[in-house]
Amino acid sequence: MTTNQDRPAIEANGIRYRWPRQPVVVVCIDGGDPAYFQRFLADGAVPNVERFIRHGFSVVADGTMPSFTCPNNMSIITGTPASRHGISGNFYLDTATGRPVVMTGPELLRGDTIISKFAAAGARVVSITAKDKLRRQLGKNLDISRGNLSFSSEFASRCTLEEHGIENLLDFVGMPQPDMYSMELSLFVLEAGVKLLERDRPDLMYLSLTDWVQHKYSPEEPEAQRFYREIDARFGRLADLGAVVALTADHGMNDKSDAAGRPNVIWLQDVLDAKFGAGDTRVICPITDAFVGHHGALGGFVRVWCRGKATPRQIVETIAGIDGVEQVLDKSGACRLYDLPADREGDVAVIARADVCIGGAEADHDLTGLKGHRLRTHGGVSEAKVPIVINRPLNDEYRLKAAVATLKSYQIFDFVLNGTLNQ
Ligand SMILES: [Zn+2]
């Protein structure tokens, strides 16, 4: 009988990955800023994470810029920077039509996912995401008919064997359909992962949560601690079932409100319209998706496209003087510095300081969903640090790698499959 350790390594996007000897579970804690682990480790609220750190490997790594959900999930699942996989936000502007294009379609994702390459070689793989917007890209080229699964907790009640590889999911997981704006949306993902590990022992699982809690609650608030206690308990169950468990995040999170609780916003489209005239430039906020109640589509990174007379240089000069802007770059500078795909980059990229966010036109953002909460959001360099925790120690080769350079979060599959002992 062929065991997994005899099988040839699987190549995905130029990197070779060893077969897992035991189930490997990679969890992306959406919005899991290192500050949460820091606080809850000190409080003793995450005993399983503490155990993983004590006996395994942990580090703070660089996430993909911009520090948004889609680019980072795609970096993790492909093992590549955004310049390779092409997903640099939720939206980009199609310069041919002048319309914003949603970037969540699998046809826009370049290269292969690591899990689809393993599945094609006969591995059993599972991808579960909280928000359905990620599901089709995470499941790109994944053959569901062969016992592999790809579903979201957002549409858990609608899962079918044909499209997701599983039906009657609510009964199987033992939870009701979670609300979009709830911590249960993330807990459902982990609970489903635990149940599937018990039942099927798949070779590889990717579990991606949602950042609703982190947008709403700082590490000091009891709701955040309750959420981390809940997810920690499930990490412990995955580990106790014999899985190699690797935790990371897509991005961090920062408070971007003033002392009175009002958001510190640069309304960039209004600034540029006042200077160059309406319609001359187009600001795109790549954080925007269908669910913006918890952040009002405000993030720490926006792109500007030139649509008229203003040149990128004039735009850069105008923006550079605005208080709260940390960095303003033209297209080639942004692509070089942050490893971004040039064909989807704006003419100018603008990054906010840690305590500031950037919007388009004030009239286009609905902030009523914040309901008295301070605005916490992400997108900039100050939210691009993420934790990596693996419940196994590294082998010598990977310990050296980790010692001499800052890890990228998209190396997590490489580290967990090729770099851990007992794997
Ligand atoms: Zn996210």
Side-chain angles (χ1 to χ4, degrees):
M1 185 186 141
T2 314
T3 60
N4 276 2
Q5 66 215 69
D6 304 324
R7 294 177 200 267
I10 299 296
E11 190 255 306
N13 309 313
I15 296 169
R16 295 170 66 77
Y17 297 92
R18 281 192 342 205
W19 274 74
R21 294 184 187 189
Q22 51 225 299
V24 162
V25 184
V26 174
V27 182
C28 177
I29 306 169
D30 200 314
D33 195 286
Y36 289 93
F37 274 166
Q38 199 176 13
R39 172 67 199 249
F40 301 140
L41 283 165
D43 291 347
V46 287
N48 291 296
V49 172
E50 189 183 338
R51 167 164 72 110
F52 297 172
I53 292 170
R54 206 179 291 280
H55 301 295
F57 168 74
S58 67
V59 75
V60 173
D62 281 340
T64 291
M65 274 291 290
S67 53
F68 292 128
T69 301
C70 293
N72 277 279
N73 272 274
M74 294 315 130
S75 283
I76 293 167
I77 204 71
T78 60
T80 63
S83 58
R84 281 288 293 273
H85 63 68
I87 306 302
S88 54
N90 290 344
F91 279 98
Y92 74 104
L93 194 75
D94 182 340
T95 46
T97 63
R99 292 220 176 82
V101 176
V102 186
M103 275 207 258
T104 52
E107 70 287 353
L108 292 173
L109 179 67
R110 295 166 181 155
D112 298 300
T113 71
I114 297 163
I115 56 172
S116 73
K117 296 288 276 186
F118 269 98
R124 289 200 70 171
V125 308
V126 171
S127 161
I128 314 177
T129 164
K131 289 188 179 182
D132 201 68
K133 73 175 180 187
L134 289 172
R135 178 181 57 88
R136 290 186 309 134
Q137 282 180 344
L138 292 175
K140 182 188 170 186
N141 293 338
L142 188 59
D143 188 351
I144 297 300
S145 69
R146 298 219 299 221
N148 303 308
L149 306 182
S150 174
F151 58 85
S152 70
S153 51
E154 178 182 347
F155 291 144
S157 63
R158 302 191 211 161
C159 283
T160 62
L161 270 178
E162 300 71 42
E163 195 179 351
H164 310 92
I166 192 163
E167 56 192 0
N168 300 323
L169 182 58
L170 300 182
D171 289 344
F172 174 66
V173 176
M175 286 176 69
Q177 173 63 50
D179 187 79
M180 264 316 279
Y181 296 112
S182 71
M183 70 172 69
E184 281 71 26
L185 197 71
S186 290
L187 300 183
F188 191 99
V189 172
L190 294 174
E191 198 61 37
V194 170
K195 295 271 159 60
L196 286 167
L197 186 59
E198 278 171 346
R199 190 187 76 177
D200 299 343
R201 288 189 76 75
D203 297 293
L204 275 178
M205 284 208 275
Y206 182 63
L207 309 178
S208 187
L209 312 184
T210 169
D211 56 10
W212 178 81
V213 166
Q214 292 88 339
H215 272 289
K216 209 163 160 88
Y217 303 112
S218 76
E220 280 68 47
E221 293 175 89
E223 291 88 347
Q225 193 190 97
R226 188 160 76 81
F227 177 63
Y228 268 74
R229 282 185 188 278
E230 295 281 355
I231 62 175
D232 180 80
R234 287 160 181 87
F235 300 154
R237 283 161 67 199
L238 292 167
D240 293 344
L241 286 164
V244 178
V245 181
L247 312 173
T248 189
D250 53 349
H251 53 77
M253 193 70 72
N254 272 312
D255 186 317
K256 294 173 187 288
S257 298
D258 64 15
R262 286 180 305 248
N264 295 321
V265 190
I266 298 165
W267 299 111
L268 193 62
Q269 188 70 71
D270 294 337
V271 172
L272 295 176
D273 286 356
K275 172 93 179 176
F276 301 109
D280 199 73
T281 60
R282 180 74 188 268
V283 174
I284 296 281
C285 304
I287 193 174
T288 311
D289 69 6
F291 301 95
V292 299
H294 48 321
H295 52 65
L298 292 169
F301 180 103
V302 300
R303 299 189 163 101
V304 186
W305 270 268
C306 299
R307 306 297 290 157
K309 293 192 295 294
T311 62
R313 176 186 278 267
Q314 287 174 310
I315 295 169
V316 167
E317 282 167 2
T318 302
I319 295 173
I322 302 174
D323 182 41
V325 169
E326 185 172 287
Q327 207 170 28
V328 51
L329 298 159
D330 65 10
K331 182 193 290 214
S332 66
C335 291
R336 208 171 40 240
L337 195 55
Y338 296 117
D339 223 344
L340 291 162
D343 59 330
R344 292 172 185 171
E345 193 51 47
D347 295 304
V348 175
V350 191
I351 300 168
R353 209 169 59 204
D355 61 332
V356 173
C357 60
I358 311 174
E362 185 169 9
D364 294 339
H365 289 259
D366 179 4
L367 303 187
T368 53
L370 293 175
K371 291 192 204 94
H373 274 271
R374 297 176 67 83
L375 177 69
R376 300 173 51 76
T377 190
H378 55 92
V381 178
S382 43
E383 294 90 30
K385 289 284 181 195
V386 295
I388 287 182
V389 176
I390 305 175
N391 71 336
R392 295 281 194 283
L394 298 184
N395 60 33
D396 286 346
E397 182 191 349
Y398 276 74
R399 243 190 347 198
L400 281 177
K401 278 193 187 192
V404 295
T406 306
L407 292 200
K408 306 280 190 190
S409 58
Y410 63 72
Q411 294 176 284
I412 193 163
F413 272 101
D414 179 20
F415 267 67
V416 74
L417 288 170
N418 298 328
T420 51
L421 291 174
N422 316 319
Q423 192 302 96

